[in-house]
C-alpha cells in the first residue's frame, strides 16, 4: 500500500505537509461534498494546480519499483491513498484507489461522465479564452450540473469496490509493503492489520514512525533507497 511519501518523491506536495493544500485558508472546504454542491468553484480554485497540474508529473522511483515487482511476478496489486494516478502512469495494472481518483469526473446532476483529460481540456480552453469573467472556471455538463472528480470528499463514502479489493489483497498477502504512509488515516490504515492477523508479514518504509512499527517484520526510513533495492531484484 502506498501513501503521500511515494508522491512527494516526485515533487508532488503532501496535502498534510507544511506546504500542503490543507494549510490553505478554508482548506477543509475544498474536499467537502456539501461545499462542493453549494459552490464547486471552492474545489476548482483550491485544486487548479494540485489536481489539474498533475499532467506534468512523472512516476518516481517507488512507482517504477512496484511496476518492476509486478513484471517479475512478485506483486499482486497496489492499494493507494494517493489521487495522482502515477501508479497507472508507471504501468501498474492492479491499482485500487481507496480515496478515489480524478481519473473520471461525474456530473452532480445527471451523472454524465468525463475523463480527466477531457476536464483538463475544458479548463485549459476556458483559461485560454479568458476564463468566465475573472471567476474560477467550473467545468459544467450540458445539463448545467458541475462535474465532480471521483475523489472521495469528506461526507462521502469510500469507493466500495476499491476498498473491498484492497482488503482481499491484504488478507491473502504473504508480504505487505507499507510505503510512504504514516498509517493514521482510517480505514485504509487498517489494511496491514488484516495481513498480520492472517500471519503475513508487514514491512514499513516511511520517514516517520507509524503505530504499527512494533508489529512490522522490518521498518526502514528511506523510501528512495528502498525503491532502488527493489529495482535491483
Ligand atoms: Zn449533467
Amino acid at each position: 500500500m502506498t501513501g503521500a511519501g511515494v508522491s512527494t518523491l516526485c515533487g508532488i506536495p503532501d496535502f498534510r505537509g507544511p506546504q500542503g493544500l490543507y494549510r490553505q485558508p478554508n482548506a477543509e472546504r475544498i474536499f467537502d461534498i456539501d461545499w462542493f454542491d453549494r459552490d464547486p468553484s471552492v474545489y476548482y480554485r483550491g485544486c487548479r494546480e494540485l489536481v489539474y497540474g498533475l499532467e506534468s508529473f512523472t512516476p518516481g522511483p517507488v512507482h517504477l519499483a512496484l511496476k518492476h515487482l509486478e513484471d517479475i511476478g512478485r506483486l499482486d496489486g497496489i492499494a493507494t491513498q494517493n489521487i495522482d494516478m502515477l501508479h497507472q502512469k508507471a504501468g501498474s495494472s492492479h491499482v485500487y484507489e481507496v480515496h478515489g481518483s480524478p481519473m473520471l469526473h461525474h456530473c452532480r446532476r445527471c451523472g454524465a461522465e468525463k475523463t480527466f483529460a477531457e476536464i483538463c481540456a475544458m479548463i485549459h480552453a476556458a483559461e485560454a479564452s479568458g476564463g468566465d469573467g475573472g471567476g474560477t472556471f467550473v467545468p459544467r455538463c450540458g445539463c448545467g450540473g458541475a462535474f465532480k472528480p471521483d475523489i472521495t470528499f469528506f461526507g462521502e463514502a469510500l469507493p466500495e469496490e476499491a476498498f473491498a479489493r484492497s482488503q482481499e489483497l491484504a488478507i491473502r498477502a504473504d508480504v505487505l509493503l507499507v510505503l510512504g504512509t504514516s498509517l493514521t488515516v482510517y480505514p485504509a490504515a487498517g489494511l496491514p492489520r488484516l495481513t498480520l492477523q492472517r500471519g503475513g508479514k508487514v514491512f514499513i518504509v516511511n520517514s516517520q514512525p507509524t503505530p504499527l512499527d512494533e508489529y512490522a517484520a522490518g521498518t526502514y526510513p528511506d523510501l528512495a533507497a528502498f525503491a532502488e533495492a527493489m529495482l535491483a531484484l
Side-chain angles (χ1 to χ4, degrees):
M1 69 181 284
T2 62
V6 164
S7 298
T8 52
L9 279 182
C10 311
I12 296 174
D14 181 355
F15 285 6
R16 293 174 188 81
Q19 305 300 321
L21 187 63
Y22 289 170
R23 298 297 170 101
Q24 288 186 18
N26 298 326
E28 73 284 353
R29 295 177 183 176
I30 294 174
F31 290 112
D32 183 290
I33 191 61
D34 293 329
W35 272 99
F36 187 91
D37 284 339
R38 204 177 310 172
D39 180 6
S41 74
V42 173
Y43 162 79
Y44 280 102
R45 186 163 49 245
C47 289
R48 171 61 187 88
E49 277 182 54
L50 189 82
V51 174
Y52 302 96
L54 282 171
E55 287 171 310
S56 56
F57 288 94
T58 50
V62 178
H63 303 103
L64 300 176
L66 293 179
K67 161 68 171 146
H68 173 64
L69 286 188
E70 181 186 320
D71 288 344
I72 61 173
R74 306 305 290 269
L75 182 78
D76 281 352
I78 301 170
T80 187
Q81 297 173 288
N82 300 333
I83 56 166
D84 49 40
M85 306 170 285
L86 285 176
H87 288 301
Q88 292 92 328
K89 238 186 215 179
S92 290
S93 39
H94 304 289
V95 182
Y96 306 109
E97 297 161 304
V98 297
H99 292 166
S101 160
M103 191 86 81
L104 292 176
H105 284 55
H106 286 93
C107 169
R108 287 294 287 170
R109 195 173 291 170
C110 76
E113 186 174 287
K114 287 225 182 281
T115 64
F116 180 71
E118 287 171 327
I119 295 291
C120 284
M122 289 171 81
I123 291 174
H124 293 150
E127 286 175 355
S129 71
D132 54 357
T136 301
F137 174 72
V138 173
R140 288 190 183 275
C141 179
C143 82
F147 281 108
K148 178 196 163 288
D150 288 1
I151 298 166
T152 308
F153 279 33
F154 296 111
E156 287 189 305
L158 287 175
E160 231 170 88
E161 171 77 11
F163 196 65
R165 300 300 294 274
S166 300
Q167 285 179 312
E168 285 166 23
L169 274 178
I171 285 168
R172 70 162 195 263
D174 303 310
V175 172
L176 175 68
L177 302 175
V178 175
L179 306 176
T181 165
S182 297
L183 297 175
T184 49
V185 183
Y186 276 82
L191 291 174
R193 290 186 188 278
L194 296 176
T195 303
L196 290 167
Q197 280 164 9
R198 300 298 176 104
K201 286 183 177 159
V202 170
F203 289 88
I204 300 175
V205 191
N206 194 49
S207 58
Q208 306 290 321
T210 82
L212 283 187
D213 281 2
E214 59 180 305
Y215 305 103
T219 61
Y220 310 91
D222 189 340
L223 259 180
F226 193 82
E228 219 172 284
M230 286 197 290
L231 276 168
L233 283 175

